[in-house]
Amino acid sequence: ETGVTQSPTHLIKTRGQQVTLRCSSQSGHNTVSWYQQALGQGPQFIFQYYREEENGRGNFPPRFSGLQFPNYSSELNVNALELDDSALYLCASSPGGSSYEQYFGPGTRLTVT
Amino acid sequence: DQQVKQNSPSLSVQEGRISILNCDYTNSMFDYFLWYKKYPAEGPTFLISISSIKDKNEDGRFTVFLNKSAKHLSLHIVPSQPGDSAVYFCAASYSGNTPLVFGKGTRLSVIA
């Protein structure tokens, strides 16, 4: 059984640019959630996708957007990058339904200069 | 306003002794609590969880205790091993398939 994978591992962007991060969910999981983890903080919820539909959103501006594909993989897009967007971006998948546990990928470390 | 709080940023314990990590929450609507362990350069790994209808859940060396009246939970690791050295996150959820609300984490160092 393949776990959650994310790409790329590391990324350096300049302020104002756009970035796309990718996530492949664990086999059998139809729900993907994205989290941002700033240095010294716990992961903060960005949004969740369930069967290709957005199923909840945290306190992040509209320049953070996402997609989920028919195979349940997902993308996180961030436009007009700001220095404060520098963080570890974590993707988590879950089987949906009444399941509480989420299973995380290794994350993408984004640095905005 | 932090709904899940881990007030100890770090904890050092000798190998073989008990590690106790604490977590407090403010929202009484949370009905499920989870602990995750995170090594550097890896994503958080699910460790153990507890439903709000229980007060204890045990899995091998790991036990989670929940005190609903105090809105407090704790993770006990007995005996502690050097491989347990990691950052531990407490998380809470309102219901199934909803976002997790995390604390800031506690860095556990187990000294041989």
Side-chain angles (χ1 to χ4, degrees):
Chain A
E1 184 179 272
T2 307
V4 179
T5 60
Q6 292 185 243
S7 63
T9 307
H10 296 91
L11 204 51
I12 299 174
K13 289 285 189 177
T14 303
R15 190 172 54 182
Q17 285 188 316
Q18 178 266 341
V19 69
T20 297
L21 310 182
R22 294 178 175 85
C23 170
S24 291
S25 59
Q26 189 166 317
S27 176
H29 288 187
N30 57 23
T31 302
V32 170
S33 303
W34 286 92
Y35 294 82
Q36 180 196 65
Q37 186 182 7
L39 204 59
Q41 304 293 316
Q44 297 285 317
F45 173 69
I46 303 174
F47 43 59
Q48 182 183 79
Y49 280 86
Y50 171 64
R51 293 185 175 178
E52 302 179 60
E53 298 284 331
E54 189 178 288
N55 186 42
R57 188 178 182 90
N59 189 25
F60 281 81
R63 58 190 185 83
F64 285 77
S65 63
L67 277 175
Q68 188 178 32
F69 300 99
N71 66 355
Y72 302 133
S73 66
S74 178
E75 285 183 356
L76 163 65
N77 299 289
V78 187
N79 293 322
L81 283 167
E82 301 177 0
L83 297 179
D84 283 351
D85 295 334
S86 295
L88 180 67
Y89 288 85
L90 294 161
C91 167
S93 76
S94 53
S98 59
S99 172
Y100 288 90
E101 289 86 9
Q102 298 183 12
Y103 298 90
F104 286 83
T108 293
R109 171 73 61 188
L110 173 64
T111 303
V112 182
T113 61
Chain B
D1 180 32
Q2 259 205 300
Q3 298 186 71
V4 177
K5 300 178 186 179
Q6 294 178 257
N7 292 320
S8 298
S10 62
L11 175 68
S12 274
V13 171
Q14 229 168 356
E15 181 180 5
R17 307 294 289 265
I18 184 171
S19 296
I20 300 176
L21 295 94
N22 294 304
C23 177
D24 297 295
Y25 61 96
T26 57
N27 194 328
S28 57
M29 297 299 290
F30 289 136
D31 70 348
Y32 203 81
F33 303 90
L34 308 92
W35 285 94
Y36 283 83
K37 177 170 73 173
K38 187 179 185 302
Y39 293 119
E42 294 183 14
T45 302
F46 171 71
L47 196 55
I48 191 169
S49 60
I50 187 166
S51 164
S52 61
I53 63 172
K54 296 186 175 181
D55 55 17
K56 177 182 174 181
N57 188 27
E58 193 170 352
D59 184 1
R61 296 187 297 115
F62 302 91
T63 303
V64 57
F65 295 92
L66 175 63
N67 182 335
K68 281 182 63 178
S69 60
K71 294 192 178 70
H72 176 85
L73 62 155
S74 60
L75 174 68
H76 293 211
I77 306 173
V78 181
S80 301
Q81 300 173 354
D84 296 329
S85 296
V87 178
Y88 288 77
F89 290 100
C90 172
S93 180
Y94 297 101
S95 65
N97 215 30
T98 56
L100 299 177
V101 181
F102 284 86
K104 290 187 177 184
T106 297
R107 181 177 301 278
L108 172 66
S109 299
V110 179
I111 304 160

